[in-house]
Amino acid sequence: MVQKMILIPMDEKGYESLKIENIVASGVIADSIDLEIISNKIKNCELNSKRFPGAVYRIEKPKIASLIFSSGKVVLTGIRRKEDLPVGLNIIMESLRDAGIETYDVPQVAVTNIVCSYDMGRYINLNKVVITLNLENIEYEPEQFPGLVYRIEDPKIVALLFSSGKIILTGGKNIEDIKKGLDFLEQRLETIM
């Protein structure tokens, strides 16, 4: 079952700069799938079992990469708009059926991760964040990586903060969790900025 998501509206919080970068969905679409058959019959479907245990099927409109496994499981990635998920999933299912694969009438696929970017529009003093906030939830080693990793517990979101004010948020299964995580993060940053 495809999980419903909402578009990110411009609202009173000023989230107009919150942008979906990638949506990942996974689940089961069949009891089993013959990867040799689909790689031979479906255009843009590749199988290299020496390098990867699944077939890679790329569709262009909407642009989605799907990893298809013999167990009937599938992972879809590269999705940039929530409305592209059901459209892309339908294309994948039709392609499999056309290749002679018995699929479920209703695929059991749900969003597992959403990655968003956000620009606070101001400089973030990462050293001050480390000193002021709870160190258990923070990883910051500027010699290794220029961003600060902040693990938010509720909702379970990981935020990568950069001194430029850019933030990457990941781990949410819906846009509401991403927004709640961003609200929490902004409240914490307000206390030290």
Side-chain angles (χ1 to χ4, degrees), residues 139-149 162:
E139 296 171 31
Y140 183 52
E141 296 182 42
E143 306 82 25
Q144 303 281 323
F145 180 69
L148 180 145
V149 180
F162 298 91

Side-chain angles (χ1 to χ4, degrees), residues 107-169:
Q108 300 165 7
V109 175
V111 172
T112 55
N113 187 27
I114 300 174
V115 179
C116 292
S117 62
Y118 181 72
D119 187 350
M120 288 191 71
R122 62 184 173 165
Y123 172 81
I124 302 172
N125 184 334
L126 298 178
N127 289 318
K128 193 172 181 181
V129 171
V130 170
I131 292 167
T132 310
L133 296 181
N134 181 355
L135 293 176
E136 290 179 18
N137 297 335
I138 294 176
E139 296 171 31
Y140 183 52
E141 296 182 42
E143 306 82 25
Q144 303 281 323
F145 180 69
L148 180 145
V149 180
Y150 191 168
R151 297 182 191 286
I152 301 167
E153 292 182 19
D154 186 29
K156 208 167 186 79
I157 301 288
V158 176
L160 304 176
L161 287 74
F162 298 91
S163 59
S164 65
K166 304 270 196 260
I167 299 172
I168 303 295
L169 300 133

